[in-house]
Amino acid sequence: MTAHIPISSADSPLGAHATTAAPVGGPLPFSDPVHLAAHQWLVDETYLLDRQELEEWLARMTEDVHYFMPIRVTTSLGTGYDTARRMAHFDEDLYSLERRVARLRTEHAWTEDPPSRLRHHLSNVRTFATDVPGEILVESAVLLFRSRGDVNEPSLLSAGRSDVLRDVDGAWRLARRHIAVDESVLRTQNLAVFL
């Protein structure tokens, strides 16, 4: 019996081709060059997302990326699941991520006009070697502060992330992101932003 139930891309139709990289051994030391590079990659990514430089953010993805945030459900401790099967807030591949970003650049993206003011707070970064050569697993916590307009209250979104970064021609690219949001009912106007 465990309170932590990992997310699996196998629970998603779009995740069929996602990497199956799994951690091997304990976390790398914070002084390890691989950990330092992965941590910097995540910090740089938060700045791209906060500034909504989404085309540059997309350029940091692999061709087979799977970006997955299943809906959390509240269950008893021994049930063996805490997400709704086949239901997700985000279940994206590269094509659908590109379409979402393209739509945000049109005059029809009312949910982001005026645009949100965002701040991604990143912490608790741990890096692991995996059973797939050239791929590392990076766990992190993210707290998103989002303010939009002058009337509505700002919102907070807290989540844990499990990312797989792949070395592509000497540069890290995001190959898989599993997001475990910490609430089953999200208290934000919409999810027209990325975690």
Side-chain angles (χ1 to χ4, degrees):
M1 183 167 20
T2 179
H4 173 72
I5 302 167
I7 295 170
S8 172
S9 287
D11 293 334
S12 154
L14 291 178
H17 302 294
T19 179
T20 58
V24 174
L28 299 176
F30 289 167
S31 59
D32 188 290
V34 172
H35 172 82
L36 293 172
H39 195 163
Q40 180 171 345
W41 191 97
L42 290 179
V43 169
D44 291 343
E45 181 196 30
T46 64
Y47 279 87
L48 292 176
L49 291 172
D50 288 348
R51 295 173 181 164
Q52 300 189 35
E53 296 175 6
L54 299 178
E55 289 78 10
E56 189 172 341
W57 177 69
L58 284 173
R60 299 163 64 93
M61 309 287 160
T62 62
E63 294 292 323
D64 62 342
V65 66
H66 187 224
Y67 186 92
F68 190 39
M69 186 172 111
I71 293 174
R72 295 296 291 267
V73 293
T74 304
T75 59
S76 300
L77 189 59
T79 58
Y81 67 91
D82 66 357
T83 59
R85 291 186 56 80
R86 306 280 182 184
M87 294 179 66
H89 296 290
F90 292 117
D91 188 0
E92 313 281 352
D93 58 13
L94 184 59
Y95 175 79
S96 62
L97 286 170
E98 289 172 339
R99 299 289 56 84
R100 286 171 57 93
V101 168
R103 184 182 180 282
L104 286 172
R105 299 305 189 220
T106 71
E107 68 274 11
H108 303 295
W110 301 296
T111 57
E112 279 300 297
D113 187 10
S116 296
R117 291 180 287 273
L118 306 172
R119 184 75 58 206
H120 290 74
H121 298 269
L122 179 73
S123 66
N124 301 359
V125 178
R126 299 194 312 164
T127 309
F128 298 82
T130 73
D131 54 358
V132 177
E135 295 186 353
I136 57 170
L137 187 135
V138 188
E139 293 179 345
S140 63
V142 65
L143 179 66
L144 174 66
F145 174 88
R146 182 183 186 197
S147 174
R148 182 167 177 265
D150 300 320
V151 177
N152 296 320
E153 292 290 321
S155 59
L156 292 173
L157 249 168
S158 172
R161 298 187 310 192
S162 176
D163 297 336
V164 173
L165 299 182
R166 180 183 301 152
D167 184 343
V168 178
D169 299 326
W172 292 116
R173 297 285 181 258
L174 182 65
R176 187 183 76 204
R177 171 161 290 165
H178 291 162
I179 305 165
V181 70
D182 293 324
E183 295 179 283
S184 54
V185 178
L186 302 186
R187 291 161 176 79
T188 189
Q189 292 177 0
N190 55 60
L191 272 178
V193 297
F194 298 98
L195 286 171

